[in-house]
Amino acid sequence: MAISVVMPALEMAQENGKLLAWRKKEGERVTKGEPLLEIETDKAVVEVEAPGDGILAGITADVGAVVPVGETIAWLVGPGEKPPAKSVTAAPAARGSSSAERASAAATVQATERRAEAAPQISPKARRLAKELGVDISKIRGTGPDGTITSEDVQGFADGKAAAARGGTESLSQVARLMAERTTQSWTSVPHFFLVRDVDCSKLIAAQKRFSQEMEKAQGAAPTITDLLIAHLAKVLAKHPRMNSSWMGEEIRLNPEINVSLAMAVKDGVVGAVIHKANTLQLGGISAQRRELTERARAGRLHPADIIGGTFTISNLGMYKVDAFSAIITPPQAAILAVGSISDRVVPVDGKPGIRPMMTMTLSSDHRVVDGVRAAEFLSDLADAIREPEKVL
């Protein structure tokens, strides 16, 4: 029985998706779960897995097409099976056409076939890259099998063209362009306000060392400070449901799950990879998911489920020695927490100057969802949890 391949919905407000590449050719066998196509939404560029086993057939969407969510774009069929026919309303009229009209149609088909034969062969990835870089593929000599233009050919041509130019501009990648659009929309439409809090991380560091020793003995990977912050954040969010809410245009939605989105750096941009139901996970589970998501993000192999459903975002630039920064909210989320580096500072300790490892947290909130008091209470509870991690974990 044929299985339909449809344009998936990766978020509630998504109406369309752009087809960037087919990972399989029509007629090739496909196994359930393996990468089948690559699409672009207003969140990210993601891989879509095959919904079942079969032979790819009946492809109706070309690379670059913008397709409505839920529309069938191909089929997976069994050996000897044909994909379901698509209704064609123009066919009956053709039967009554004159011989001259049929001859004209045949000539058009032949001309189209000749143009197709003359067109350069190019891989889907190279075609997408050429579009991003604004490169004319007719000027590129392919080095792949049978003269196929590869992505390396496109990049080499673009690099040579850029070197020859006296000035020039830098083209944006898909991820960079999406990030630019999203942040501009958020900054210009969401009423941000910011709260800043410094917190003593002495006991947080001690807890991270202790958990690392325990997990290494159990042949597990050591958790990072980011893992501990995600665990603390998830627990505190459970006590502050409004901070875990979403702005829906005319009402506030209280999200039933606490799905912490972690801002991750990828080539030319940032993606938000989601740890679902983070408040129900042990520290080891959070650490394992975060490592797996990081590896897939860096390899450009995120799955649709990896980037959807986030209810609160944390962005940690501490590893880059950034002391403090303000982050832009990811709609429809109500807030994002920006975390700076942990560094020794001189602070009051029992009325005297002392040195403590301090960290600055900056909370960006949507004023339509939370007011200053709610945000301040949340940030205060989070700071208390970080100062006394043993009471939370």
Side-chain angles (χ1 to χ4, degrees):
M1 182 176 179
I3 302 173
S4 63
V5 179
V6 302
M7 176 59 67
L10 304 183
E11 53 185 308
M12 291 182 61
Q14 181 186 343
E15 296 181 354
N16 302 297
K18 183 177 181 180
L19 178 60
L20 297 182
W22 285 101
R23 294 297 178 83
K24 293 288 185 177
K25 296 179 180 179
E26 188 159 359
E28 288 188 335
R29 181 169 292 278
V30 178
T31 303
K32 182 178 180 179
E34 72 174 315
L36 179 60
L37 62 150
E38 191 174 291
I39 66 169
E40 170 191 308
T41 72
D42 64 350
K43 279 186 176 249
V45 174
V46 298
E47 281 187 338
V48 177
E49 298 176 348
D53 298 336
I55 298 170
L56 183 61
I59 293 177
T60 60
D62 295 326
V63 171
V66 177
V67 183
V69 166
E71 181 174 308
T72 298
I73 55 178
W75 294 88
L76 298 180
V77 300
E81 185 181 11
K82 294 184 178 180
K86 202 171 183 180
S87 60
V88 181
T89 57
R95 285 194 290 267
S97 61
S98 66
S99 59
E101 290 172 337
R102 290 195 295 271
S104 177
T108 301
V109 170
Q110 292 175 358
T112 302
E113 291 176 347
R114 286 195 297 270
R115 287 195 297 269
E117 293 174 357
Q121 297 297 313
I122 182 170
S123 70
K125 182 178 179 181
R127 187 181 297 278
R128 185 173 76 252
L129 181 61
K131 184 176 180 181
E132 292 175 3
L133 299 178
V135 171
D136 183 355
I137 61 174
S138 65
K139 298 180 180 179
I140 303 176
R141 180 180 179 183
T143 60
D146 299 324
T148 299
I149 298 173
T150 66
S151 58
E152 288 78 12
D153 296 330
V154 174
Q155 188 64 60
F157 183 89
D159 290 344
K161 185 177 179 181
R166 295 181 180 178
T169 59
E170 182 179 350
S171 299
L172 292 177
S173 67
Q174 295 283 1
V175 172
R177 181 175 58 78
L178 289 171
M179 185 176 67
E181 293 174 355
R182 290 200 307 269
T183 52
T184 299
Q185 181 182 15
S186 175
W187 186 249
T188 56
S189 62
V190 177
H192 288 62
F193 72 93
F194 308 94
L195 300 179
V196 181
R197 186 72 182 263
D198 292 331
V199 59
D200 185 342
C201 292
S202 300
K203 293 185 179 180
L204 183 71
I205 294 173
Q208 189 265 338
K209 291 180 179 179
R210 181 175 66 80
F211 284 121
S212 295
Q213 292 174 352
E214 292 176 356
M215 291 185 182
E216 285 176 352
K217 289 180 180 179
Q219 297 183 340
T224 65
I225 290 294
T226 297
D227 296 332
L228 269 72
L229 290 175
I230 293 172
H232 283 81
L233 177 63
K235 298 295 185 183
V236 176
L237 280 172
K239 298 188 293 183
H240 296 267
R242 186 63 74 89
M243 299 300 302
N244 192 57
S245 301
S246 299
W247 176 254
M248 304 308 295
E250 296 182 353
E251 59 185 7
I252 297 170
R253 182 184 68 204
L254 300 176
N255 295 305
E257 296 181 355
I258 295 175
N259 302 328
V260 177
S261 179
L262 178 62
M264 293 183 176
V266 295
K267 184 180 180 180
D268 298 328
V270 177
V271 297
V274 180
I275 298 177
H276 294 269
K277 300 181 180 179
N279 59 314
T280 66
L281 300 176
Q282 298 293 326
L283 180 60
I286 290 175
S287 182
Q289 282 198 36
R290 192 265 312 155
R291 289 195 305 273
E292 185 176 350
L293 287 170
T294 300
E295 291 173 0
R296 286 208 293 268
R298 289 175 178 171
R301 295 292 182 267
L302 284 172
H303 303 154
D306 295 336
I307 63 170
I308 62 174
T311 59
F312 189 104
T313 298
I314 180 172
S315 180
N316 186 359
L317 292 180
M319 63 286 295
Y320 298 102
K321 308 302 180 183
V322 173
D323 294 325
F325 67 103
S326 299
I328 298 176
I329 297 169
T330 303
Q333 296 175 25
I336 180 171
L337 183 72
V339 179
S341 64
I342 299 176
S343 58
D344 289 340
R345 306 179 200 170
V346 178
V347 295
V349 179
D350 297 329
K352 298 179 181 179
I355 298 178
R356 292 290 186 272
M358 303 295 292
M359 179 179 70
T360 299
M361 301 184 296
T362 305
L363 178 67
S364 308
S365 301
D366 184 343
H367 217 312
R368 298 170 300 183
V369 182
V370 296
D371 55 29
V373 173
R374 289 179 186 269
E377 290 174 344
F378 164 77
L379 194 57
S380 179
D381 284 351
L382 181 59
D384 290 343
I386 292 172
R387 280 195 296 264
E388 300 290 342
E390 300 294 344
K391 295 181 180 180
V392 178
L393 301 178

